[in-house]
Amino acid sequence: MKNILLTAFLAFTTISAFATNNEDDVVNYQNNRYPLMTKPYIELPIGSVKPAGWLEEQLNRMAQGMTGHMDTVYEKVMGSRNGWLGGDGDVWERGPYWIDGLLPLAYILNNKALIEKVQPWIEWTLASQKPDGYFGPDTDRPYEQGLQRDNAHDWWPKMVMLKVMQQYYSATKDERVIPFLTNYFKYQLKELPQKPLGNWTFWGERRGGDNLMVVYWLYNITGDQFLLELGELIHKQTFNWTDVFLNQDHLKRQNSLHCVNLAQGFKEPVIYYQQSKNTEHIDAVKKAVTDMRPTIAFPIGLWGGDELLRFGNPTQGSELCTAVEMMFSLEKMLEITGDVQWADHIERIAYNALPTQVSDDFSSHQYYQQINQVQVTRHIRNFVTPHEDTDILFGELCGYPCCTSNLHQGWPKLTQHLWFATADYGLAALVYAPSQITAKVGNGTVVSITEETTYPFDEAVKFKFNFADKKIKKAFFPFHFRVPAWCPNAIVRLNGKEITMDTPAGEIARISREWQNGDVLTLELPMKVEANYWYDGAAVIERGPLVYALKMDEQWEKKNFEAEKKNHYGDWYYEVTSDTPWNYCFTSKDLRPDVIAGNFTVEKVATIADYPWNAENAPITIKTKAKRLPEWQLFKGSAGPVPYFMQNIPVIQQEETIELIPYGCTTLRITEFPIR
């Protein structure tokens, strides 16, 4: 087809062709400065990407729910007494955690009320900086129940606030941020040799990649050489995640690491790779994923971690903080490497794990989720770090309040990283969701692309191209899009005509052409039902980016905590129970690749609801046959232990028709099924 070039974009082999550091070149968006490696993708300013469809509904529910109202929902910590507002209360991570999610939400939605809530935290933080560069709370106070009033000088909570200030600059271009960060990083360079990242607590040492990320971001703006020296020092003082992944056995044994530290530390080798250019750091994270698969991994992209690592038994817990932090790690890794593996992994978490762990109205959350979760009740379960039987209840402060404070970054940062600018002056859609991008391409032309889709439920993604300036009718630039690894037969159409597709699954396609006002590019990603095998050979049904789980009737009951527990866990909580049978197994012969399509019938609703993430609105149902296992019963409120794989043992039960729905639409479920 005339004027069209459709190619596979291989990040590691073609990156150098797009390096553009010459002063005479147009710079739409700042890439890495030399000597940092040139990235294939560049994060866009906050507000460039706007949500649409179900994603917009999701963000609006956050604004109306906990995220928009933490200052009243959790006033003791997030109210005026917070140390990050100059008060005598909490001085550690929880306040910065909330703003780390509230700020991008506020500016993405252009919600003035939320922006006004963010601003006092910014102003106090800027004003708190001392002549030596230190910022933040500086006074340790005696213990008070429910507050973290000590370790004010700890490096760790400041790392969260560094991310906040970076995002604030991205959204506003407030020039005060640049000298503020410069002075703090000079302070760090001076102080870290005597007071390393692990000086006050071990959290900063484990999570130094967050600090390093902002150091490189500032270097790209200012070019100050001391920042590269600081980058080397921070990497040296950070827990050696590269060695852990390449040479040690932490991912093959239980209780070796904290689950959220792993999620945050996961990106550190890739962040540092920008300076080291040593592919060992890329190899390390890839090996980590491979090593997790038969040990701690869950089919939803996470791992057993309640709070220490556990093997992937589907009744172990997975902490909500792990989901949102791993998503952010993967988003930054995708930007730096252009590797489709990380985009696929983002969707696996975002479209399975994330929606199910927060209530529909965003008024409550669950600290741990279980892959096989048949009751949400106050039972002591087999968790290595239990919190008085509150861990899987839905409440404001159930489990531990870190997740209450930190869950808010998940959806806004996903929205921000659906799209990227490219090193070759184009745009890239790498994670799919209904949205719109307005950004510069080519020699500075502003283009708007609307992504119309109900993905991940639907197989079609439609991109509509328009120019902001009505005088501009066309412009030449490359457009990148992802072909997921699970889709070997993607179809691309431009203005209704199919384009020959030679980009294999698991790579990024690039169309370089003169785009015209009104062009429509349609990507079709056929999804097929597959069975994959997890803990003890249990069967998991997947289709495209979604995992499917048994649909169960759900009865939600709101209850009050005892007076003596309200300070720890809030006033109330929900229990969720069901009278639906859950103890089903599959027959191995029905799961064979050559027959599975005939045994699992996919049914789609005609119109997808504005909010699809519950059992009532589930857009897709898969019907199939299964048999009951009478001996599989409850144990301590969970689906009891059972041999998930057992050969040559007949199940003397009649087959029943069961319904599977997307995992993210469930609260109660069986996801990993025994096989007989």
Side-chain angles (χ1 to χ4, degrees):
M1 184 171 288
K2 188 176 180 180
N3 292 330
I4 296 177
L5 176 64
L6 178 58
T7 59
F9 179 63
L10 305 177
F12 292 113
T13 60
T14 63
I15 221 174
S16 60
F18 307 124
T20 55
N21 289 316
N22 296 328
E23 292 182 1
D24 293 337
D25 288 334
V26 173
V27 177
N28 292 330
Y29 302 101
Q30 180 65 55
N31 206 317
N32 278 340
R33 282 179 180 261
Y34 182 84
L36 300 181
M37 58 152 281
T38 301
K39 298 179 294 185
Y41 298 111
I42 307 162
E43 182 177 317
L44 291 158
I46 292 177
S48 301
V49 183
K50 297 294 185 184
W54 67 258
L55 183 57
E56 184 177 15
E57 175 68 16
Q58 185 75 49
L59 296 193
N60 284 332
R61 289 184 179 223
M62 292 182 67
Q64 296 158 11
M66 277 192 298
T67 304
H69 297 89
M70 286 296 293
D71 50 341
T72 54
V73 169
Y74 196 17
E75 183 179 9
K76 183 173 185 177
V77 168
M78 304 303 186
S80 61
R81 286 190 63 198
N82 191 281
W84 289 92
L85 292 172
D88 67 344
D90 203 282
V91 299
W92 214 51
E93 65 183 5
R94 295 178 198 170
Y97 265 161
W98 175 40
I99 305 304
D100 191 31
L102 180 65
L103 189 151
L105 177 70
Y107 281 99
I108 287 170
L109 293 179
N110 194 25
N111 185 312
K112 293 182 180 179
L114 298 187
I115 291 171
E116 289 175 0
K117 288 193 178 190
V118 167
Q119 200 62 33
W121 297 77
I122 300 297
E123 296 300 334
W124 186 89
T125 300
L126 289 168
S128 73
Q129 189 160 57
K130 297 182 177 181
D132 65 358
Y134 179 90
F135 76 90
D138 61 0
T139 304
D140 290 346
R141 294 182 171 89
Y143 174 75
E144 182 178 333
Q145 189 178 50
L147 298 178
Q148 295 172 304
R149 301 176 83 209
D150 60 350
N151 291 318
H153 287 81
D154 189 13
W155 300 109
W156 157 237
K158 293 174 180 59
M159 295 181 194
V160 185
M161 192 53 76
L162 292 176
K163 292 192 295 176
V164 170
M165 300 308 289
Q166 176 188 353
Q167 292 179 99
Y168 175 66
Y169 183 84
S170 174
T172 68
K173 294 297 184 287
D174 188 330
E175 289 297 335
R176 296 178 296 169
V177 172
I178 303 306
F180 171 83
L181 292 178
T182 299
N183 291 334
Y184 176 67
F185 289 143
K186 288 179 179 178
Y187 171 83
Q188 277 200 306
L189 186 61
K190 178 182 176 183
E191 293 293 322
L192 281 174
Q194 292 77 40
K195 298 173 183 175
L197 294 179
N199 185 69
W200 284 279
T201 70
F202 82 122
W203 302 103
E205 182 183 69
R206 293 296 196 272
R207 301 173 178 183
D210 290 59
N211 199 150
L212 184 62
M213 176 186 67
V214 184
V215 169
Y216 290 155
W217 174 82
L218 184 63
Y219 171 75
N220 290 331
I221 294 174
T222 68
D224 289 337
Q225 292 298 303
F226 84 89
L227 293 168
L228 298 178
E229 181 184 354
L230 178 60
E232 292 285 6
L233 179 60
I234 290 172
H235 171 70
K236 183 177 180 180
Q237 290 191 1
T238 299
F239 186 67
N240 194 340
W241 292 104
T242 301
D243 188 62
V244 164
F245 296 158
L246 286 178
N247 303 314
Q248 301 186 38
D249 66 349
H250 292 66
L251 305 183
K252 299 177 182 178
R253 57 184 171 89
Q254 298 195 98
N255 306 326
S256 59
L257 296 168
H258 186 273
C259 58
V260 184
N261 282 343
L262 175 57
Q264 288 191 252
F266 200 83
K267 66 178 171 292
E268 197 279 341
V270 180
I271 298 294
Y272 181 60
Y273 168 71
Q274 296 172 97
Q275 186 168 4
S276 74
K277 302 185 180 70
N278 184 346
T279 55
E280 178 182 73
H281 297 114
I282 302 298
D283 297 339
V285 291
K286 287 181 170 288
K287 182 176 184 294
V289 172
T290 300
D291 287 348
M292 289 179 190
R293 179 62 170 83
T295 57
I296 63 173
F298 285 151
I300 55 174
L302 299 173
W303 46 81
D306 48 38
E307 294 175 356
L308 301 181
L309 297 190
R310 305 296 296 275
F311 292 146
N313 186 322
T315 57
Q316 296 303 150
S318 179
E319 187 180 333
L320 178 52
C321 279
T322 304
V324 296
E325 291 291 0
M326 186 60 173
M327 283 174 58
F328 182 63
S329 287
L330 293 165
E331 286 155 8
K332 302 316 293 181
M333 292 162 60
L334 176 61
E335 174 186 336
I336 293 166
T337 67
D339 192 330
V340 166
Q341 176 178 351
W342 309 129
D344 288 348
H345 202 148
I346 291 166
E347 291 188 352
R348 179 65 63 127
I349 299 171
Y351 298 152
N352 294 287
L354 185 60
T356 187
Q357 214 159 348
V358 182
S359 61
D360 293 352
D361 62 0
F362 242 83
S363 69
S364 61
H365 78 286
Q366 193 182 33
Y367 190 64
Y368 299 142
Q369 65 176 295
Q370 295 174 299
I371 304 302
N372 284 356
Q373 182 170 279
V374 296
Q375 288 186 353
V376 172
T377 53
R378 291 182 69 180
H379 284 88
I380 291 291
R381 289 171 168 81
N382 186 31
F383 300 146
V384 70
T385 312
H387 299 89
E388 297 187 276
D389 65 16
T390 69
D391 297 293
I392 71 168
L393 303 176
F394 280 82
E396 293 174 342
L397 300 176
C398 291
Y400 192 75
C402 59
C403 289
T404 299
S405 309
N406 193 26
L407 66 89
H408 314 282
Q409 67 172 306
W411 289 113
K413 290 186 181 179
L414 175 73
T415 303
Q416 174 67 11
H417 293 96
L418 297 173
W419 292 84
F420 293 90
T422 69
D424 57 354
Y425 297 103
L427 291 174
L430 302 185
V431 177
Y432 298 131
S435 59
Q436 183 179 42
I437 175 73
T438 301
K440 296 176 183 178
V441 295
N443 62 358
T445 302
V446 177
V447 64
S448 291
I449 306 174
T450 301
E451 182 176 352
E452 294 183 356
T453 185
T454 52
Y455 188 93
F457 308 107
D458 192 24
E459 298 164 300
V461 183
K462 181 182 293 184
F463 301 101
K464 293 185 175 180
F465 294 74
N466 289 284
F467 296 100
D469 186 342
K470 295 186 182 300
K471 296 178 182 178
I472 297 176
K473 303 299 182 184
K474 56 187 177 181
F476 186 93
F477 63 92
F479 179 66
H480 300 218
F481 57 93
R482 158 178 146 264
V483 181
W486 49 260
C487 186
N489 52 349
I491 301 169
V492 181
R493 291 186 173 90
L494 180 61
N495 298 327
K497 296 182 180 180
E498 186 171 341
I499 301 173
T500 301
M501 186 77 179
D502 61 357
T503 302
E507 292 186 6
I508 292 171
R510 180 181 64 207
I511 299 178
S512 296
R513 75 184 296 265
E514 190 172 68
W515 295 94
Q516 301 195 33
N517 207 48
D519 276 345
V520 177
L521 183 75
T522 303
L523 175 63
E524 294 179 16
L525 302 169
M527 303 176 186
K528 65 177 182 178
V529 176
E530 295 181 303
N532 286 300
Y533 300 92
W534 291 80
Y535 180 79
D536 193 32
V540 174
I541 303 303
E542 302 175 15
R543 181 177 172 272
L546 298 182
V547 173
Y548 284 75
L550 178 68
K551 182 180 181 179
M552 299 175 62
D553 294 332
E554 299 172 359
Q555 288 89 47
W556 289 65
E557 184 178 2
K558 193 172 186 178
K559 298 184 176 183
N560 292 319
F561 275 112
E562 301 85 351
E564 66 273 13
K565 292 194 175 184
K566 289 187 177 184
N567 270 334
H568 283 293
Y569 303 114
D571 292 339
W572 54 268
Y573 63 92
Y574 286 109
E575 290 192 337
V576 189
T577 56
S578 178
D579 56 8
T580 304
W582 55 265
N583 52 349
Y584 290 98
C585 69
F586 290 140
T587 303
S588 58
K589 64 180 178 61
D590 292 338
L591 304 178
R592 295 199 322 262
D594 59 326
V595 300
I596 191 170
N599 295 325
F600 288 77
T601 303
V602 178
E603 298 180 357
K604 303 177 183 179
V605 299
T607 303
I608 293 179
D610 290 341
Y611 184 82
W613 299 110
N614 56 36
E616 293 76 19
N617 293 340
I620 302 171
T621 299
I622 299 178
K623 292 183 178 179
T624 190
K625 300 289 187 180
K627 296 181 179 181
R628 296 279 298 276
L629 281 179
E631 67 273 17
W632 192 15
Q633 298 293 321
L634 287 171
F635 177 72
K636 292 185 177 180
S638 296
V642 64
Y644 283 90
F645 177 78
M646 187 177 290
Q647 61 180 354
N648 300 324
I649 303 295
V651 180
I652 312 301
Q653 297 287 322
Q654 293 295 317
E655 282 190 329
E656 303 175 34
T657 298
I658 64 170
E659 294 184 352
L660 309 178
I661 59 176
Y663 181 101
C665 300
T666 67
T667 300
L668 304 181
R669 56 188 166 258
I670 291 293
T671 312
E672 299 195 15
F673 288 85
I675 300 174
R676 296 293 185 267

